[in-house]
Amino acid sequence: MDNTQKLLQISAKLFQHLTNMPEEEKRDEYIAKINSLLDERGILMEQMQHEQFVLDLKSNKSHIMLAELDKGIRERLNNVMKVIQDDLKDLQNAKKHERQYINPYASVQVMDGRYYDKKN
């Protein structure tokens, strides 16, 4: 099996893996799998560049499929990143509201009990 076919297989696995987002408890395993597939894919692409691999997208069907898979992978990775960023924002807001609930007057800067006499 040549590198193009291996790359096509790994890209298809990655595309399939990105189809559904797991629950929050299983997200670490999900992200680890994404990273390993991306690493494998990157190594193959690097090997193909070292072999002076020239893409001719109009003549080879596997290259067309790779281009389409790459586009889909990028879209799905962006969606995964957006979900994770939204979760992080929610977590930050929850922490902020928890601190405000514990000490509601922490952000209030009052000068109670101080008197400054200008008449010296």
Side-chain angles (χ1 to χ4, degrees):
M1 185 183 301
D2 65 337
N3 284 341
T4 306
Q5 293 302 319
K6 288 179 187 176
L7 184 62
L8 192 58
Q9 275 186 334
I10 292 173
S11 296
K13 282 182 190 177
L14 181 59
F15 186 79
Q16 182 64 32
H17 184 67
L18 291 170
T19 54
N20 51 356
M21 186 79 168
E23 298 174 6
E24 291 181 18
E25 296 85 29
K26 298 179 182 178
R27 195 171 292 167
D28 290 337
E29 297 168 9
Y30 179 76
I31 293 173
K33 176 83 173 178
I34 290 173
N35 283 334
S36 68
L37 288 172
L38 285 173
D39 289 341
E40 286 181 48
R41 197 167 172 251
I43 290 169
L44 275 175
M45 291 173 98
E46 206 170 280
Q47 288 174 356
M48 291 169 77
Q49 285 178 347
H50 290 305
E51 295 171 358
Q52 300 298 327
F53 187 75
V54 179
L55 289 176
D56 186 13
L57 293 176
K58 294 178 181 161
S59 65
N60 196 343
K61 290 183 181 181
S62 62
H63 294 195
I64 294 170
M65 286 181 64
L66 275 172
E68 290 175 11
L69 275 173
D70 188 55
K71 182 180 175 185
I73 287 170
R74 288 178 191 269
E75 289 174 3
R76 290 180 180 189
L77 279 174
N78 286 335
N79 291 340
V80 169
M81 285 294 292
K82 186 176 183 302
V83 168
I84 292 172
Q85 286 175 345
D86 290 343
D87 286 348
L88 285 174
K89 283 181 187 178
D90 291 342
L91 181 65
Q92 295 288 336
N93 286 337
K95 285 182 181 180
K96 178 182 171 186
H97 291 305
E98 182 181 347
R99 281 192 300 264
Q100 286 179 344
Y101 181 75
I102 291 172
N103 188 2
Y105 301 109
S107 62
V108 178
Q109 295 182 0
V110 213
M111 309 231 338
D112 287 342
R114 295 185 187 173
Y115 178 71
Y116 182 69
D117 188 11
K118 288 185 177 180
K119 292 185 180 183
N120 277 340

